[in-house]
Amino acid sequence: MSYIANARMYSVGPGAAAAWKELFEWVARESAVDLSVIDHVFPAPLADLWSRPDLGCAFMCGFPYKLSQHSPRPVAAPVPLGRR
């Protein structure tokens, strides 16, 4: 199966978008997973991206994760350090 990747939430400018694309391409090569980086720019709804059954790699916050019908599998989660 072919999967897609997108980092829209953190692609705040062209340089950041290029860096995320490079990272996803590296992940695809190293994991031997058929992963294509796609554009999903504003005003396209993030919910449309997050609900895709072929979503292989993306950044998602807790609320859409909890509501997802496709049971995404987290591969990393932030762990805050220090005091609140």
Side-chain angles (χ1 to χ4, degrees):
M1 178 170 187
S2 180
Y3 297 97
I4 59 107
N6 182 276
R8 174 171 152 193
M9 287 185 66
Y10 297 99
S11 295
V12 296
W20 286 117
K21 182 178 182 193
E22 185 178 331
L23 176 67
F24 286 144
E25 289 170 347
W26 177 85
V27 167
R29 276 191 315 275
E30 293 297 311
S31 65
V33 170
D34 186 8
L35 185 65
S36 300
V37 182
I38 65 161
D39 290 324
H40 190 86
V41 298
F42 181 82
L46 279 169
D48 290 353
L49 172 68
W50 292 334
S51 65
R52 289 183 58 151
D54 62 344
L55 183 62
C57 197
F59 292 92
M60 181 184 290
C61 14
F63 187 67
Y65 170 80
K66 187 70 175 163
L67 296 177
S68 177
Q69 296 176 15
H70 301 291
S71 301
R73 184 179 338 169
V75 294
V79 178
L81 298 176
R83 304 176 109 189
R84 289 184 178 208

